[in-house]
Amino acid sequence: MRENYSKAHDGRGKFIPLLALGTFALGVDAYVMAGLLPHVSEDLHVSASSAGQMVTVFTLCYALGGPIFATLLAKRSAKVVLGVALLVFTVGNALTALAPTLWVLLVSRAVAGVGAGVYSPIAAATAAGLTTPERRGRALATVMGGLSIGTVIGVPVGMLLASHIGWRGTLWLITALGVVALVGIARLPKIEVSPPPPLGQRVRALAGGRIAGIVTVSLLGGIASLGLYTYLAEFLVDAAHTDQTVWAMWAWGAGGIVGSLLIGPVVDRTRRPFTAVTCVLVLIVASQLVLPAAAHAAAAWAVVPLVIWGAAGWAVQVPQQHQLIAAQPEQPTIAVSLNSSAVYLGSGIGSALGGVVLGLGATPAALPYYTGALTVVALVLHLTVVRGAVRRGEDAAAAEGAATAEDAVTAEPAATTP
């Protein structure tokens, strides 16, 4: 108890916002490019669909390249890994701002994606290590809050800035933001956090039913939530008959900020991350299924389901990370990195699947029905596979505790015998 008290009051929690500054830069960079597509395609003289591949490249390298390259840093301290990751991320953004051709642009987005993929899970694990288990939810929520706030600001502000300083100027500002975050990381204290795990360990971790189930739920959530967000503009044109989309992005993003910041205290207070995920998935399903009818009736009516969808979509990751750390307490970095990769891989898959569905003849106004149905699948998986694994884990822990108590009782007479 004294050790926990000391740890909670040694002042290390003040460094958590520095980690959130880095995730803020990641959030801006990941989504601002979606709003800059017209400017990029015009400047590089390529089609919008070709320029749009830079978003796919970033998300795929975040999800897949990050874990692979993190293996090279497996024996380094968390502070070194965070610094190297932010440096790679910043260099990638600088190259993006200088890109003279589409191929250079794609390579630079890949570099930035790798840096982001290495940084994000280590930042979350470090934040969890800077505080006590009782406040872990708040720490994770702060880091995720940086990501969601960056997303909220990313697209609308990026579009606004690009109209004044060009898309390259916007990328230079993001590069500067990465430099500031890198300076902040240099102030972090030394902390014992498990290093980036080798790729083999990540794959083996998925062999456990509980971890595989949780990660699959995150993957499906990324496909359904972030995938639909990619086509939000097209949805509003078709369903609400308006090409004014900035307000919708603000509504979705504002909900994301509220959801990601409030979910941490809720999880800490209730100690029921499984129940929190259940409630959040139900909210995502309800908001996405209601969204088409609301937008068709009046554009303003779509604000409520957009806010709820944004709040629930961002809130789900904190209890998911909480569950994964509990399932893999000896290697929390593995658990968090798997979840982070699943979310961004889901984003890339969601964007691709959305294009396929539209190509097969579906209207943009119908996309929320498809994503809502996919979220129902995630909910069913959560309530069956994940719930069963959680119960088996609890039963095993109870059995182990009973065995330990029995050993202590039987050993007590022997300990007191002369």
Side-chain angles (χ1 to χ4, degrees):
M1 181 68 70
R2 181 178 297 275
E3 180 181 354
N4 288 338
Y5 180 88
S6 176
K7 185 176 181 180
H9 292 78
D10 63 1
R12 293 190 300 174
K14 67 182 180 182
F15 293 100
I16 293 176
L18 295 178
L19 298 170
L21 179 61
T23 57
F24 172 80
L26 265 60
V28 174
D29 193 42
Y31 293 95
V32 70
M33 302 309 293
L36 300 180
L37 285 181
H39 302 278
V40 174
S41 61
E42 181 181 357
D43 184 36
L44 298 181
H45 306 290
V46 297
S47 65
S49 59
S50 296
Q53 297 307 308
M54 62 183 178
V55 178
T56 302
V57 166
F58 182 94
T59 54
L60 289 181
C61 286
Y62 186 113
L64 302 177
I68 294 174
F69 281 89
T71 303
L72 302 176
L73 302 170
K75 296 183 179 180
R76 303 292 182 179
S77 67
K79 184 175 180 178
V80 170
V81 173
L82 290 170
V84 171
L86 271 182
L87 179 62
V88 172
F89 171 77
T90 302
V91 169
N93 284 312
L95 291 175
T96 301
L98 295 170
T101 65
L102 177 62
W103 286 108
V104 176
L105 177 69
L106 294 179
V107 171
S108 67
R109 298 315 297 154
V111 172
V114 168
V118 174
Y119 178 87
S120 183
I122 305 301
T126 303
L130 285 170
T131 187
T132 61
E134 292 77 14
R135 299 183 62 85
R136 181 180 294 164
R138 289 177 174 84
L140 292 172
T142 300
V143 174
M144 289 301 297
L147 192 63
S148 62
I149 293 172
T151 301
V152 174
I153 294 177
V155 176
V157 173
M159 294 170 64
L160 179 63
L161 289 175
S163 63
H164 292 85
I165 61 177
W167 71 272
R168 297 182 188 274
T170 302
L171 263 297
W172 281 121
L173 289 178
I174 297 175
T175 301
L177 188 61
V179 172
V180 173
L182 185 60
V183 173
I185 291 300
R187 298 183 54 201
L188 282 177
K190 183 178 179 181
I191 180 174
E192 293 296 329
V193 175
S194 55
L199 186 61
Q201 289 187 14
R202 301 171 192 247
V203 175
R204 287 192 296 271
L206 288 174
R210 183 178 180 183
I211 292 179
I214 296 171
V215 170
T216 303
V217 170
S218 290
L219 175 68
L220 295 176
I223 294 174
S225 189
L226 298 177
L228 177 58
Y229 179 74
T230 303
Y231 298 96
L232 182 57
E234 287 80 1
F235 165 79
L236 290 172
V237 170
D238 190 29
H241 308 294
T242 177
D243 57 358
Q244 302 297 318
T245 60
V246 174
W247 63 271
M249 293 173 178
W250 279 113
W252 183 84
I257 293 177
V258 173
S260 61
L261 293 180
L262 289 183
I263 191 64
V266 170
V267 172
D268 285 342
R269 187 174 297 111
T270 63
R271 302 291 185 89
R272 294 182 177 179
F274 179 87
T275 303
V277 173
T278 303
C279 296
V280 166
L281 289 177
V282 169
L283 288 175
I284 294 176
V285 172
S287 60
Q288 291 188 344
L289 295 183
V290 168
L291 183 59
H296 181 73
W301 287 18
V303 171
V304 173
L306 281 171
V307 170
I308 295 175
W309 164 30
W314 280 102
V316 72
Q317 297 313 317
V318 170
Q320 283 288 85
Q321 290 176 341
H322 217 284
Q323 288 191 107
L324 284 167
I325 291 175
Q328 191 94 3
E330 69 281 0
Q331 284 286 354
T333 308
I334 294 180
V336 175
S337 64
L338 286 172
N339 188 70
S340 180
S341 294
V343 171
Y344 272 82
L345 181 60
S347 176
I349 294 175
S351 298
L353 287 180
V356 170
V357 170
L358 293 177
L360 292 176
T363 62
L367 283 179
Y369 295 129
Y370 292 94
T371 57
L374 189 61
T375 308
V376 170
V377 175
L379 179 60
V380 171
L381 180 65
H382 175 70
L383 293 175
T384 55
V385 176
V386 176
R387 184 179 185 181
V390 169
R391 285 183 172 177
R392 287 192 296 272
E394 291 175 347
D395 292 342
E400 182 179 354
T404 302
E406 183 178 353
D407 291 343
V409 171
T410 57
E412 186 175 352
T416 56
T417 301

